Amino acid sequence: MDKLLEFLSFQDPNVRTVTFGTIFLGMSASTVGTFAFLRKRSLVGDAVAHSILPGIAIAFMLFHTKNPFVLMGGALLSGWLAMLLIEHLSKATKLKPDTAIGLVLSVFFGIGILLLTSIQHSGAGNQAGLDQFLFGKAASMTRNDLIAYGIVALILLITVILFFKEFKLLSFNPDFAEASGLPVKRLQFILSTITVLAIAIGIQSVGVVLMAALLITPAATARPWTERLVVMMVLAGIAGGLSGLVGSYISFAAPNMPTGPWIVMCLSFLALFSLFLAPRRGVLARIRQQRQNRRKILSENLLKSFYHLREHNPETLAFSRGEILEKRAFSEVEYKTALRHLRRHFYLIPEGSNWRLSEKGYEEAKRVVRLHRLWEMYLTERMRLKADHIHPNAETMEHIITPEIEEQLLRELGYPETDPHQSPIPYPKH
Amino acid sequence: MEINTPALEVHNLTASYNRKPVLWDIDFQLPQGQLIGIVGPNGSGKTTLLKNIMGLMEPDSGYVNMFGQKLDDVRERVSYVPQRESVDWDFPASVLEVVQMGRYRKNNLFKRLTARDHEIATQSLEKVNMLEYARRQISQLSGGQQQRVFIARSLAQQADLYLMDEPFVGVDAATEESILKLLTEMRQEGKTVIIVHHDLQTAYEYFDWIVLLNTRLVAAGPKDDVFTSNLLQEAYGGRLTVLSRIGDLIAKKDFPLRESDFKEKEGQGDG
Ligand SMILES: Nc1ncnc2c1ncn2[C@@H]1O[C@H](COP(=O)(O)OP(=O)(O)O)[C@@H](O)[C@H]1O
Ligand SMILES: [Mg+2]
């Protein structure tokens, strides 16, 4: 707890730089990653992240320096090479794209590990601290590193803002972009380059193994909350920045702990949260929708039973529970749920121990019966189904048909009087 | 048949996927100011032909001219409507945003759209009767609405030649009628409209000129010349088994396909 307070007070200037640095790196990786996510290039992102390792190792072996620009140069080159190779392999050979991606990933990563091991055995590894590139260690970054990476992150964000509309079109419909005469090849080159760069700086805090998570998960987390690309990118940036904060705290509180796994834990938590709670697309929203659908079906079925009873006994208005259940088999719970719903909306009105349809309820019941009989008409007239086959299908459709479809059915069928079983089709009172 | 400055000339075009040819020696010219259908059964290579025309694929041989020029010189006069299923509609964008994409051009790279661009986009949306859906998310559109959004985006390009890939697929009867009316109006304004279409029933009724395609060119010309039972039988009748078998063979054996390669082989064979 004390540690957390100390951390959050940001009194140590070193803590301050590392924290703001990693937040910034997380934000830029997730913003750029949004395009990778929308272009369905998640796997390529993963392969490129792994392929960066040999580039970093070779740059270090050649120049014997940890200068961030030198290492980033190596990272950029090998990341690019991997991307070109994936593209070329799936075009020139009969390999499926996912095979090409897997192949490039494992070969590059294998070479990277090999080089890293040999660097460490040569004794230069510890002072180089290259192992941090595997799983990330936010705190091991120096102030100078952070300034360098911060500058790159800034350039990435500016590029995204400058080319925002072109990248949007490129992600949605690249063929149209090309047909419109946009320099698609060059735009793709720029987008790929900033993606590789975002990966190269992101691995400082996450490491190559888990980098794809920082690139893709924030976008996936943000997607269900908005239908606007700008908002989606901002939300993804916030998710990425937040996990950067968590990572740098871990680095600070437990100096021997790699930060990557913790950052990814935080991201996964946010993604799960989003998966469950997001409006409309979330699991909870879906469950709620399904429950609403079920209740709608039950209530409409109960209304229909009332209508049928009244159709057969025109002079009676109120019916008992027994009469209803005789007409249609509701379970105890179903009957109660439907009844509660209909009563609350005043479709049904109590009369002693019986229930009767209100004026509003009668019109609603007529609507359901009308849809059922109209659909049966449609099935026999247009799809040429036999009259004894159509009832089950109409049982479902009557709950689904919207007013617009009803309108169209009525027009196409010419406002029929009766259904195929010669039951009258009830129309609304005018 | 020679046509004065054809809107579109396809010359000896052969195209393939993974070395398997799906278009053989396609050669035709289309006049300006007509409503033209490219008609053929599913899988006959209509989409592939459009992609080659629009420079989205590199043909194995042959070339394409528009208004007597190369595509790159007349880009702004040509507009393309891709097949509706070629994009993922679950993309975070609104209807208006997509239509505005028609205004993205080389000369406004990393610039904001102008007021004039916005005006044109809105008017295009109005022409396809989708103005009330301007702020709607594209993930919530029906098939017919998606088609109309794509057509509006194309209208926003204010071109002279339009190439549309199956704009009537997934469209209800009323929408089909209104799209057709729009296309007819465009022709009256002197535009050339080329429509990829797979439905024979309506093709004769809709178009002035027809290109009958099935892996190779069956016929191209005014509709009355093309709509003969022989030619239709040729396009829609039996599958061209020989051609597709040769295609398989070429893919399997890695035969060369480019013209230059062919010439080399010929020389060797004769010598
Ligand atoms: N990307 C692709 N890769 C390999 N084969 C393809 C590809 N796209 C289309 N084809 C094949 O090319 C042929 C022509 O396809 P297409 O041009 O889409 O026909 P159409 O548009 O007339 O239905 C088909 O046999 C199809 O299977
Ligand atoms: Mg097609």
Side-chain angles (χ1 to χ4, degrees):
Chain A
M1 202 63 222
D2 286 350
K3 273 256 189 229
L4 184 63
L5 285 180
E6 192 188 335
F7 173 75
L8 285 178
S9 71
F10 292 126
Q11 260 157 13
D12 185 342
N14 200 29
V15 172
R16 214 159 42 211
T17 8
V18 169
T19 308
F20 285 117
T22 41
I23 289 178
F24 200 45
L25 297 193
M27 279 173 61
S28 66
S30 3
T31 311
V32 175
T34 304
F35 288 117
F37 172 79
L38 288 173
R39 297 170 74 212
K40 312 202 182 344
R41 296 282 205 284
S42 311
L43 281 177
V44 177
D46 194 25
V48 168
H50 282 76
S51 309
I52 272 174
L53 200 55
I56 290 176
I58 291 173
F60 177 76
M61 286 162 98
L62 285 180
F63 299 99
H64 300 285
T65 171
K66 258 190 78 186
N67 179 312
F69 286 111
V70 172
L71 295 189
M72 239 185 305
L76 190 60
L77 280 182
S78 66
W80 245 112
L81 190 66
M83 207 180 281
L84 287 182
L85 222 81
I86 290 172
E87 214 170 281
H88 191 74
L89 272 181
S90 36
K91 238 186 230 158
T93 69
K94 292 200 167 162
L95 292 182
K96 296 264 172 304
D98 56 338
T99 318
I101 291 171
L103 206 67
V104 168
L105 182 151
S106 40
V107 169
F108 274 68
F109 189 56
I111 295 174
I113 294 284
L114 218 68
L115 293 175
L116 216 57
T117 318
S118 87
I119 290 174
Q120 254 159 351
H121 280 278
S122 72
N126 283 343
Q127 77 200 56
L130 287 180
D131 52 335
Q132 84 204 33
F133 289 118
L134 273 187
F135 295 109
K137 193 177 286 178
S140 69
M141 278 185 274
T142 66
R143 206 184 147 75
N144 280 343
D145 287 349
L146 275 170
I147 292 172
Y149 295 134
I151 291 172
V152 175
L154 200 64
I155 293 174
L156 298 187
L157 288 181
I158 291 173
T159 314
V160 166
I161 292 169
L162 274 183
F163 287 104
F164 183 75
K165 77 181 201 304
E166 283 78 21
F167 287 168
K168 180 167 71 176
L169 176 53
L170 203 58
S171 308
F172 174 58
N173 195 350
D175 277 357
F176 183 78
E178 193 169 353
S180 306
L182 294 180
V184 165
K185 292 259 150 50
R186 248 172 296 160
L187 287 169
Q188 251 158 3
F189 177 81
I190 297 170
L191 187 51
S192 304
T193 306
I194 63 172
T195 311
V196 177
L197 275 177
I199 293 171
I201 59 175
I203 61 171
Q204 295 299 320
S205 42
V206 203
V208 297
V209 178
L210 297 171
M211 181 57 214
L214 185 55
L215 198 66
I216 301 301
T217 319
T221 308
R223 179 67 187 95
W225 296 87
T226 175
E227 291 289 341
R228 290 188 56 201
L229 183 53
V230 183
V231 180
M232 181 179 165
M233 292 182 99
V234 171
L235 288 180
I238 292 174
L242 201 64
S243 46
L245 180 70
V246 170
S248 52
Y249 169 67
I250 301 291
S251 240
F252 172 73
N256 287 326
M257 192 80 87
T259 48
W262 287 98
I263 291 182
V264 173
M265 286 284 281
C266 174
L267 281 174
S268 312
F269 177 79
L270 290 174
L272 270 180
F273 171 82
S274 168
L275 189 68
F276 273 98
L277 296 183
R280 279 189 296 137
R281 292 165 190 257
V283 173
L284 282 187
R286 287 240 198 88
I287 292 177
R288 202 176 312 134
Q289 179 69 49
Q290 278 164 8
R291 277 185 46 181
Q292 268 174 19
N293 288 348
R294 248 196 328 267
R295 201 174 55 202
K296 179 171 190 290
I297 291 175
L298 279 179
S299 332
E300 290 184 353
N301 282 342
L302 188 57
L303 273 181
K304 228 169 39 168
S305 305
F306 270 92
Y307 183 90
H308 288 149
L309 282 173
R310 210 169 130 170
E311 211 172 21
H312 293 126
N313 319 278
E315 57 289 347
T316 329
L317 285 178
F319 300 97
S320 72
R321 187 174 157 224
E323 285 168 302
I324 292 290
L325 290 185
E326 203 171 301
K327 191 83 203 140
R328 191 185 177 106
F330 290 97
S331 81
E332 189 69 23
V333 182
E334 285 171 350
Y335 179 75
K336 274 199 178 135
T337 313
L339 195 65
R340 194 172 342 112
H341 180 73
L342 292 177
R343 204 178 48 191
R344 193 173 329 128
H345 290 88
F346 301 108
Y347 288 136
L348 288 180
I349 297 174
E351 214 168 81
S353 63
N354 291 355
W355 295 91
R356 77 171 164 81
L357 287 170
S358 68
E359 187 67 24
K360 183 178 157 197
Y362 184 56
E363 285 303 315
E364 178 66 7
K366 264 178 14 187
R367 189 184 67 83
V368 180
V369 173
R370 181 168 65 247
L371 293 185
H372 183 105
R373 293 179 181 170
L374 270 179
W375 187 249
E376 289 194 336
M377 254 337 247
Y378 187 77
L379 286 181
T380 34
E381 292 241 316
R382 293 303 158 100
M383 323 253 285
R384 310 233 174 274
L385 291 184
K386 289 215 195 70
D388 50 343
H389 283 147
I390 53 181
H391 182 75
N393 185 306
E395 274 294 302
T396 334
M397 295 310 290
E398 68 194 12
H399 307 296
I400 296 172
I401 293 172
T402 61
E404 295 91 62
I405 301 181
E406 178 187 350
E407 187 58 45
Q408 199 181 342
L409 279 177
L410 283 171
R411 253 186 290 121
E412 277 198 28
L413 295 171
Y415 299 85
E417 296 279 322
T418 58
D419 76 355
H421 311 289
Q422 307 313 321
S423 310
I425 294 177
Y427 285 96
K429 202 169 66 181
H430 287 294
Chain B
M1 180 181 337
E2 278 304 314
I3 296 167
N4 269 340
T5 333
L8 176 69
E9 177 191 1
V10 175
H11 183 87
N12 269 343
L13 185 127
T14 299
S16 57
Y17 292 107
N18 303 319
R19 312 193 52 86
K20 183 182 159 148
V22 296
L23 288 176
W24 295 81
D25 270 328
I26 308 294
D27 193 284
F28 60 83
Q29 300 185 352
L30 299 176
Q32 298 191 28
Q34 304 279 337
L35 190 49
I36 300 161
I38 296 183
V39 182
N42 280 325
S44 56
K46 305 181 295 295
T47 297
T48 311
L49 178 60
L50 274 207
K51 283 190 171 173
N52 278 279
I53 292 172
M54 290 313 296
L56 303 173
M57 272 175 74
E58 186 69 26
D60 295 308
S61 69
Y63 62 83
V64 174
N65 277 346
M66 289 156 184
F67 305 110
Q69 285 172 288
K70 287 277 157 243
L71 173 61
D72 270 328
D73 302 323
V74 287
R75 282 274 180 202
E76 316 253 313
R77 293 181 67 191
V78 182
S79 178
Y80 169 58
V81 178
Q83 220 159 268
R84 179 171 62 90
E85 304 90 49
S86 67
V87 304
D88 179 2
W89 288 87
D90 190 17
F91 187 90
S94 70
V95 166
L96 189 58
E97 257 178 291
V98 172
V99 177
Q100 283 167 354
M101 288 175 184
R103 301 304 299 168
Y104 296 7
R105 289 296 197 183
K106 213 171 186 166
N107 57 20
N108 63 12
L109 273 183
F110 57 73
K111 293 206 196 92
R112 295 165 60 100
L113 292 181
T114 63
R116 176 87 186 119
D117 290 325
H118 288 286
E119 193 186 312
I120 292 170
T122 311
Q123 286 167 356
S124 308
L125 208 48
E126 191 184 16
K127 283 193 190 134
V128 297
N129 289 325
M130 285 283 291
L131 211 46
E132 56 187 305
Y133 297 96
R135 308 259 164 243
R136 185 74 72 93
Q137 299 313 317
I138 57 169
S139 51
Q140 295 165 12
L141 299 179
S142 72
Q145 291 167 340
Q146 291 174 350
Q147 290 285 22
R148 283 188 279 165
V149 171
F150 262 11
I151 293 174
R153 181 177 70 171
S154 170
L155 292 180
Q157 294 195 315
Q158 302 192 312
D160 296 319
L161 169 61
Y162 292 84
L163 295 125
M164 308 190 179
D165 202 341
E166 307 257 16
F168 296 121
V169 165
V171 166
D172 62 73
T175 309
E176 181 152 345
E177 203 172 305
S178 75
I179 293 179
L180 189 69
K181 185 157 158 277
L182 180 70
L183 299 180
T184 320
E185 282 165 15
M186 288 163 69
R187 175 190 51 195
Q188 254 132 40
E189 290 163 20
K191 317 260 185 201
T192 311
V193 185
I194 299 178
I195 304 287
V196 162
H197 195 63
H198 72 263
D199 182 25
L200 259 190
Q201 307 295 332
T202 45
Y204 184 80
E205 181 188 339
Y206 287 179
F207 306 120
D208 313 320
W209 269 54
I210 287 177
V211 175
L212 260 184
L213 192 75
N214 193 349
T215 314
R216 67 202 166 81
L217 184 71
V218 176
K223 64 178 171 186
D224 287 311
D225 299 350
V226 170
F227 251 57
T228 66
S229 61
N230 275 349
L231 292 175
L232 291 182
Q233 171 66 23
E234 227 179 295
Y236 278 80
R239 297 212 343 117
L240 298 161
T241 40
V242 177
L243 223 47
S244 93
R245 259 166 53 201
I246 292 180
D248 279 334
L249 216 59
I250 288 178
K252 233 178 266 154
K253 299 255 168 97
D254 254 0
F255 277 111
L257 256 180
R258 291 190 175 273
E259 267 182 343
S260 59
D261 293 342
F262 276 128
K263 279 179 201 128
E264 271 170 32
K265 296 274 146 146
E266 279 165 20
Q268 277 167 8
D270 290 342

